[in-house]
Amino acid sequence: MNSCSETIDDEQRHAAARSLSVAQSPSDGMSLIAPQPGSDYYRAVMPTDIPDRALELRTEVTPEASVRVFLEEVDVPRPVGGQVLVRVEAAPINPSDLGLLLAGADPAQVRKEGTPERPVLTAPLRPEAFRAVGARVGLAMPAGNEGAGTVVAAGADAGSAALVGRTVAVAGGSMYSQYRLAASGECLVLPDGTTARDGASWFVNPMTVLGMIETMRAEGHSALVHTAAASNLGQMLQRACLEDGIPLVNVVRSEAQAAILSGIGATHVCDSSRDDFMTSLTTAVTEASATLGFDAIGGGPMANRILTAMELAASAGAPYSRYGSAVHKQVYLYGRLDRNPTELTREYGMAWGIGGWLLPNFLAKAGPETVTRMRDRVAAGLTTTFASSYTSTVDLAGVLDPAALATYGRQATGQKYLVLPNG
Amino acid sequence: MNSCSETIDDEQRHAAARSLSVAQSPSDGMSLIAPQPGSDYYRAVMPTDIPDRALELRTEVTPEASVRVFLEEVDVPRPVGGQVLVRVEAAPINPSDLGLLLAGADPAQVRKEGTPERPVLTAPLRPEAFRAVGARVGLAMPAGNEGAGTVVAAGADAGSAALVGRTVAVAGGSMYSQYRLAASGECLVLPDGTTARDGASWFVNPMTVLGMIETMRAEGHSALVHTAAASNLGQMLQRACLEDGIPLVNVVRSEAQAAILSGIGATHVCDSSRDDFMTSLTTAVTEASATLGFDAIGGGPMANRILTAMELAASAGAPYSRYGSAVHKQVYLYGRLDRNPTELTREYGMAWGIGGWLLPNFLAKAGPETVTRMRDRVAAGLTTTFASSYTSTVDLAGVLDPAALATYGRQATGQKYLVLPNG
């Protein structure tokens, strides 16, 4: 549901794609399957388990305005210094991953080519979609925003070496790979008893949820409004808000979705499909004293409605002012489920703001102390507050199955695939 | 031009309206025209000049959905403690004053009633306008956001007593009055040689200009985009930016307006009536490295265009990212020349924001040190950088002349009235 919030550091991935040839061709000629325990460069457990070559999923936009998704056999990189090599065991397919994989192509137009062992999906790009991804043409980009697995080798730095054998979660792209190099500092070490599958979706939804709460506190608000609230992320946010005692106004678009949230203890649930939506939203916003909203929809009138409700709440009983209440009302758009323009009628005074919200931008601004606190809380809650569930699992080739794509490509609430790159 | 930026503290004015009866009825029975030099309460120069009763303009919304603008004869208040009494000699009619005076009525529908000495303007309110000012019904509100005059009496506090005889500028409402009580701390003492007429428009436009520059610095930007840039305020902003070496992109809507700005030294002027507007805007924003805009228009596509140009500038030459550049791009809407909805296509990544901007809200956030610095700079520049010019002067009864209203009510660029409450 939360297309844009799902983090992705494309520049980092881009840089990674460019540097692959270097990383995969160690200039000193040391064999990747002959680790040298105790050397300055490289140590590994389970050396016989580490293959010479491994598979990685790639997505490429061609000059002919189509996108190709395929598997590439690459040299398994060798960690040095502060790096570790992670055997990726689980990585979810998020809407933001789909955006990168398909480059805006229609999932219904995907065709399967190649061989059974090396399938290739292709799909045409409409002119506007092609224009939007012009900078990608000819780049075979790796994909997969987040995942988890086992550290099977490490550079010589003490911090990395200590991770060998541990189950860790990683984000930042390239997770649809059998093996992925990571900086030891970016690995989230999972608590004992938490599996790679438990930890695969550690970043996109959980860190977004905590990023919303951190934003709320940093900007002086005390309650939240959230749209598309029955999503996986929305339920997670409700659980975290219940833990923290934060009033949360959930906006959903059906009775069935309302029931999901009520079922996990939500107090405020407003159904936008009902005629009395604005009344119920205003009541809920008033009761919660909510002056900050996170909107996954983006387009259309929703953000405007939230600001309107907040202003009605803020100005109720206050003396007349032509410029509305002085209480700052803010809505962040973190997704774009509706790609139509956002319409602002501005009937909520002058103390309001709307803006984009993107997890990596937030994390960069928040600083390492806050990020560490967030990561630690996620790690502790991966099987409870921040648990994700999946409807299917596939291996890397399975991602390229048009039938599977038809399901996960719909981005329907409750449909989530988990990729097991090592089967 | 800058309807909403023009400051007005309606709550304060509202409170003032309520407390008038108290302020005007000193319980100790001391006569207002018999000041007692050296007493603890009250000192004055020119005692014979201070009348017992004086005129004040009032605007009232009636339960019958009309607005009445009239003159009220009131007791001249007596300053105590830290207060001073200002004989108001000049107060401009700003668009925001009009908003309060007419409560949204159409200037063309105004009728004159009353007597020649006590004229009353009335105008019907459309239902939506009436609804919007429901909280005003039955309140005879004073008006006039800013002005200047001479301190003719003061309370016993040293700070206030020292102001007697000085020419001061005041803001905060009730300036369409012959005499106005003010806290000595809110008075801006004008430099020798600066007249009340020079200082009358000290607050709304000059403080908005400096507030924009302060906002730019506080939020980490280094250049500005400004719309409706040929306005009085826009020219002032250009002069201040030239003084400070701040690159400013001026958006205007005609060749004639462009010429005005070029004539005062503007480097970047983009004419939105031209076919190549987006190209010229993008070029100017790129050259200026502008990531902050102040938009007086509010509705329609302008804010969206500015953000689009900023993103084109920020992402030029950068590697591909699905989420756009990480450079934060901000547009503040400080006016509503266009009352249509603001349309956001959101094709500028995720690092962007739009919001309302109101001078009093900014000043409250900026704190006294910043506000003092701004006031001092305005005082020093009232006959140069922050000079205003007027097309006509009227006395208080002249404000109620339908012919004058037809002119100042149009809010046309270059048409500005100055009220001389004491003739």
Side-chain angles (χ1 to χ4, degrees):
Chain A
M1 298 297 284
N2 52 318
S3 56
C4 280
S5 80
E6 310 205 334
T7 193
I8 173 174
D9 188 341
D10 285 289
E11 292 182 23
Q12 196 175 327
R13 179 187 297 123
H14 194 151
R18 289 201 169 137
S19 63
L20 275 179
S21 55
V22 177
Q24 290 165 8
S25 311
S27 55
D28 58 5
M30 285 173 65
S31 165
L32 289 173
I33 54 165
Q36 311 196 337
S39 86
D40 277 355
Y41 299 104
Y42 181 61
R43 58 181 82 198
V45 288
M46 306 178 286
T48 52
D49 282 341
I50 306 176
D52 196 13
R53 308 264 291 169
L55 293 176
E56 199 167 278
L57 190 142
R58 298 292 180 93
T59 171
E60 181 173 3
V61 172
T62 72
E64 293 76 31
S66 70
V67 63
R68 295 175 70 237
V69 188
F70 56 98
L71 301 183
E72 182 94 330
E73 196 181 282
V74 298
D75 287 342
V76 173
R78 198 198 64 174
V80 294
Q83 295 176 330
V84 298
L85 182 67
V86 179
R87 182 179 184 271
V88 182
E89 283 144 10
I93 302 180
N94 293 305
S96 59
D97 295 311
L98 267 182
L100 184 72
L101 282 178
L102 296 184
D106 179 355
Q109 293 201 290
V110 164
R111 284 184 313 164
K112 190 169 188 174
E113 299 177 355
T115 64
E117 309 86 57
R118 289 286 178 280
V120 177
L121 290 187
T122 67
L125 295 176
R126 283 167 295 116
E128 59 273 30
F130 183 56
R131 265 198 306 279
V133 295
R136 279 186 55 179
V137 172
L139 286 172
M141 301 178 75
N145 285 330
E146 61 181 343
T150 306
V151 174
V152 293
D157 285 9
S160 1
L163 293 181
V164 172
R166 301 298 303 260
T167 304
V168 298
V170 180
S174 303
M175 296 308 293
Y176 301 150
S177 306
Q178 292 183 310
Y179 290 86
R180 184 189 187 279
L181 220 48
S184 58
E186 61 175 313
C187 294
L188 181 70
V189 179
L190 301 185
D192 289 341
T194 302
T195 66
R197 187 171 165 146
D198 292 332
S201 293
W202 75 280
F203 187 84
V204 175
N205 283 349
M207 291 292 275
T208 297
V209 159
L210 293 183
M212 289 172 173
I213 291 174
E214 293 285 343
T215 299
M216 180 196 83
R217 293 191 173 126
E219 299 185 3
H221 306 272
S222 60
L224 290 170
V225 177
H226 186 228
T227 70
S231 66
N232 207 319
L233 186 155
Q235 295 179 49
M236 220 175 255
L237 179 63
Q238 179 60 74
R239 291 196 294 266
C241 284
L242 283 171
E243 279 181 16
D244 291 6
I246 297 167
L248 172 65
V249 176
N250 295 282
V251 176
V252 296
R253 57 186 157 76
S254 72
E255 212 169 312
Q257 291 181 338
I260 292 174
L261 285 161
S262 299
I264 61 168
T267 311
H268 306 290
V269 187
C270 303
D271 179 353
S272 62
S273 71
R274 290 173 56 108
D275 289 343
D276 65 353
F277 173 62
M278 272 311 292
T279 310
S280 75
L281 181 64
T282 305
T283 303
V285 163
T286 305
E287 287 175 7
S289 295
T291 49
L292 175 63
F294 282 91
D295 176 31
I297 301 168
M302 184 55 78
N304 200 61
R305 286 180 180 168
I306 295 169
L307 289 173
T308 303
M310 287 174 176
E311 177 64 6
L312 287 168
S315 60
Y320 169 69
S321 166
R322 282 182 60 223
Y323 295 126
S325 80
V327 176
H328 186 76
K329 300 157 287 287
Q330 179 74 35
V331 173
Y332 287 113
L333 313 182
Y334 75 99
R336 41 196 308 150
L337 294 174
D338 183 340
R339 294 186 169 263
N340 288 309
T342 312
E343 273 218 355
L344 308 178
T345 58
R346 312 188 308 289
E347 285 158 343
Y348 20 81
M350 296 299 283
W352 61 272
I354 283 203
W357 192 92
L358 187 70
L359 181 56
N361 294 356
F362 168 75
L363 295 177
K365 215 169 48 185
E369 202 173 312
T370 302
V371 174
T372 299
R373 173 159 39 83
M374 293 165 66
R375 287 164 54 111
D376 290 349
R377 182 167 173 191
V378 169
L382 279 171
T383 57
T384 53
T385 313
F386 302 111
S388 288
S389 58
Y390 307 94
T391 44
S392 304
T393 58
V394 287
D395 61 12
L396 282 180
V399 177
L400 304 186
D401 174 5
L405 178 58
T407 308
Y408 67 69
R410 270 208 312 275
Q411 305 185 28
T413 301
Q415 284 288 351
K416 191 155 191 174
Y417 271 56
L418 187 66
V419 183
L420 313 179
N422 284 286
Chain B
M1 297 297 285
N2 53 318
S3 54
C4 280
S5 80
E6 309 205 334
T7 194
I8 172 172
D9 188 343
D10 285 291
E11 293 183 23
Q12 196 176 327
R13 178 187 299 122
H14 194 148
R18 290 200 170 138
S19 63
L20 275 178
S21 56
V22 177
Q24 291 165 7
S25 311
S27 56
D28 59 5
M30 284 175 65
S31 165
L32 289 174
I33 52 164
Q36 310 197 338
S39 87
D40 277 354
Y41 299 106
Y42 182 62
R43 59 181 83 198
V45 287
M46 304 177 288
T48 53
D49 282 340
I50 306 176
D52 196 12
R53 308 263 294 168
L55 293 176
E56 197 168 280
L57 190 142
R58 298 291 180 93
T59 171
E60 180 173 4
V61 173
T62 71
E64 294 76 31
S66 71
V67 63
R68 295 176 69 239
V69 188
F70 56 99
L71 300 183
E72 182 93 332
E73 195 181 284
V74 298
D75 287 343
V76 172
R78 197 199 63 174
V80 293
Q83 295 176 331
V84 297
L85 182 68
V86 180
R87 182 178 184 271
V88 182
E89 282 143 11
I93 303 181
N94 293 305
S96 60
D97 294 310
L98 267 183
L100 183 74
L101 282 177
L102 296 183
D106 180 355
Q109 293 201 291
V110 164
R111 284 183 314 164
K112 192 169 185 173
E113 300 177 354
T115 65
E117 311 84 60
R118 289 285 179 278
V120 177
L121 290 187
T122 65
L125 295 175
R126 283 166 294 118
E128 59 273 29
F130 183 55
R131 266 198 306 278
V133 296
R136 280 186 54 180
V137 172
L139 287 172
M141 302 178 73
N145 285 329
E146 60 182 343
T150 306
V151 174
V152 293
D157 285 8
S160 0
L163 293 181
V164 172
R166 301 298 303 261
T167 305
V168 298
V170 180
S174 304
M175 296 308 294
Y176 301 150
S177 306
Q178 293 184 309
Y179 289 86
R180 184 188 187 278
L181 219 48
S184 58
E186 61 173 314
C187 294
L188 180 70
V189 179
L190 301 186
D192 289 340
T194 302
T195 65
R197 186 171 165 147
D198 293 331
S201 293
W202 75 280
F203 187 84
V204 175
N205 283 349
M207 291 293 275
T208 296
V209 160
L210 293 183
M212 289 173 173
I213 291 175
E214 292 285 343
T215 298
M216 182 197 81
R217 294 193 171 122
E219 299 184 4
H221 305 271
S222 59
L224 290 170
V225 178
H226 186 227
T227 70
S231 65
N232 207 321
L233 186 155
Q235 296 179 48
M236 219 175 256
L237 179 63
Q238 179 61 74
R239 291 195 294 266
C241 284
L242 283 170
E243 279 182 16
D244 290 6
I246 298 168
L248 171 65
V249 176
N250 295 283
V251 176
V252 298
R253 57 186 157 77
S254 73
E255 213 169 311
Q257 291 182 337
I260 292 174
L261 285 160
S262 300
I264 60 168
T267 311
H268 306 290
V269 186
C270 303
D271 179 353
S272 63
S273 71
R274 289 173 57 107
D275 289 342
D276 64 354
F277 172 61
M278 271 311 292
T279 310
S280 75
L281 181 63
T282 305
T283 303
V285 164
T286 305
E287 287 175 6
S289 295
T291 49
L292 175 63
F294 283 90
D295 176 31
I297 302 168
M302 184 54 78
N304 200 61
R305 287 180 178 168
I306 295 170
L307 290 172
T308 303
M310 287 175 176
E311 176 64 7
L312 287 169
S315 61
Y320 170 69
S321 166
R322 281 182 60 224
Y323 295 125
S325 81
V327 176
H328 186 76
K329 299 157 288 287
Q330 180 73 36
V331 173
Y332 287 113
L333 312 183
Y334 76 98
R336 41 195 308 150
L337 293 175
D338 183 341
R339 294 186 169 262
N340 288 307
T342 312
E343 272 218 356
L344 308 178
T345 58
R346 313 189 307 290
E347 287 157 342
Y348 20 80
M350 297 299 283
W352 61 272
I354 284 202
W357 192 92
L358 188 70
L359 181 56
N361 294 355
F362 168 76
L363 296 177
K365 216 168 49 184
E369 203 173 312
T370 301
V371 174
T372 300
R373 174 158 39 83
M374 293 166 65
R375 287 163 54 112
D376 290 349
R377 182 168 173 190
V378 169
L382 279 171
T383 58
T384 53
T385 314
F386 302 111
S388 289
S389 58
Y390 307 94
T391 45
S392 304
T393 57
V394 287
D395 63 10
L396 281 179
V399 177
L400 304 186
D401 173 4
L405 178 59
T407 308
Y408 67 70
R410 270 209 311 275
Q411 305 186 27
T413 300
Q415 285 288 353
K416 191 156 191 174
Y417 271 57
L418 187 67
V419 182
L420 312 180
N422 284 286

